Amino acid sequence: MARLVVVSNRVPIPDKSGTAPAGGLAVALQTALAARGGLWLGWSGRSCAEDAVGPLQMLKEGNIDYALTDLTERDVEEYYQGFANRVLWPICHYRLDLAEYERHEMAGYFRVNRFFASRLLPLIEKDDLIWIHDYHLIPLAAELRRQGVTNRIGFFLHIPWPAPDVFHAMPVHETLLTSLTAYDVLGFQTEHDRENFADCLSRRGLGKRLDPARFVVGERAFTARSYPIGIETDDFAALAKRAAETTLHRRMLQSLDGKQLIIGVDRLDYSKGITQRIDAFESFLNRHTDSQRKVTLLQITPKSRSEVPEYEAMQRAVAEQAGRVNGALGTVDWVPIRYINRSLRRPALAGLYRMAKLALVTPLRDGMNLVAKEFVAAQNEEDPGVLLLSRFAGAAQELKEAVLVNPYDVEGTADAIAGSLAMPVEQRRERWKAMMKTLRTNDVFAWCDTFLGDLAESPAPQKASPAGIPKPARSAETRAQPLRAAAATSHARWS
Ligand code: ADQ
């Protein structure tokens, strides 16, 4: 089996203490790397002066090498805080109003991608499969090709791909679109995202579509498919079951004092619809006064990207909003919203999901949303809680048995909260079973296997004329070994 090289902006470094269990994505990629032997390269998270960027920091854990690079302060400002998080993130989440395009930041984004390519180049071996992740690194394959790399290279976009009218508002959209054609396999979260991407190509008259998944642009042919990312379903379910026996769980139950728990878990980000959700919860309490003092919303929201001004402003706005609702509706012995800004360990999070009667997962736009999947996996099958899910999360394409809402419709969401809390147990069980079946089939190991299988089987990178492009074959020998089994023997832990 070919060696695997993963590149992502940040790298989950192994946690030597073994106390911090990793999220599903890190576990799946680590399992794939361990099965094949591999390398994971990314930014160390540190920035330094222009002349102080040292050599790669190398770490080895089993048969996986980690390569970390520092970036300069200017790099971080222009590439990460600038173009990636102030242009690409808002545009891919349909927030043209928040996109702040600056030419020097865009130049920094391409410069850092060229820099990543130069750091990776000496580490690549002839038959390596290279898998690049997310919007920070869109032009990386084009840079590698320019430097002579002919390996198979795949790309997975974790966030949505927007409709052409939105994407084309970005000044450099054509360069980004063209640079994506340097990959052999492009992965999107949903069919909807893949079709948006295909529409962007056709609106710009770039190349043609050979069949639903094969495209040719200039001399390059590539595959573009949806690969909905999953979680480590069975492991997460087991974690939640165990968590129900911990002291934290008992303390939390005690503090609820018989009230029903409603949960929201999101990075603090404008795409997650947190303010609309609090409005909907307030509207629910005002319209269903009999529910006051009987429910508590626990909103767990670690701060993120605080150095970007929109995020700093949002931190203040959400805290004020939660405070206002608590001030207006709370009583001496009831706080309607418990709002906390910290990250929890996965076992604690799993236990809280299991305790909750209802999860509010109401992003205004989301590539997938793993919280929705984790909540379902954590439930007690005899008495499962209800998932209230935004239609605009990628997860809604798969979890059709959730209570689907439009998060912009505050009163509609308030009614859906009331309906969900009153849902009979038979109906909850039926919906949960159907969703769990989907989550077990499409878990994160299947996601990884399918993508890497397609990448390994993609035609060897070549200059091909549109007429002569071979279709990818599906031969059993070249297919990657299933990861789920390999994961069972993996004991690595990540921070
Ligand atoms: P995110 O936008 O970060 O990911 P999400 O998919 O919900 O969103 O993943 C968040 C992860 O962080 C979950 O595993 C969750 O458990 C964890 N998390 C959130 N709050 C936490 C807290 N307070 N404490 C501990 N853990 C917490 C991006 C895209 C998504 C896409 C993923 C994966 O924006 O759409 O689903 O990548 O592809």
Side-chain angles (χ1 to χ4, degrees), residues 375-393:
F375 174 78
V376 172
Q379 296 309 300
N380 174 353
E381 62 184 291
E382 296 303 320
D383 185 19
V386 177
L387 172 65
L388 190 143
L389 179 61
S390 161
R391 294 182 187 286
F392 306 122

Side-chain angles (χ1 to χ4, degrees), residues 166-186:
V166 177
F167 192 72
H168 290 170
M170 184 169 36
V172 281
H173 67 270
E174 202 152 337
T175 315
L176 285 174
L177 270 178
T178 314
S179 66
L180 277 170
T181 66
Y183 289 96
D184 298 294
V185 177
L186 290 178

Side-chain angles (χ1 to χ4, degrees), residues 23-25 89 93 134 156-160 189 229 231 236 265-267 269 271-272 300-302 305 340-346 349 353 365-372 374 394 447:
L25 174 63
W89 179 274
H93 290 86
D134 228 358
F156 185 76
L157 183 69
H158 289 257
I159 64 175
Q189 297 275 25
I229 194 168
I231 58 165
F236 200 83
V265 177
D266 320 74
R267 259 183 329 96
D269 194 294
S271 66
K272 303 291 183 185
I300 309 173
T301 301
R305 303 176 195 165
I340 58 177
N341 281 143
R342 61 178 69 211
S343 252
L344 299 187
R345 288 178 172 279
R346 283 178 83 68
L349 199 58
Y353 286 142
R365 196 63 65 166
D366 216 333
M368 178 53 60
N369 195 297
L370 297 181
V371 168
E374 290 165 357
W447 168 78

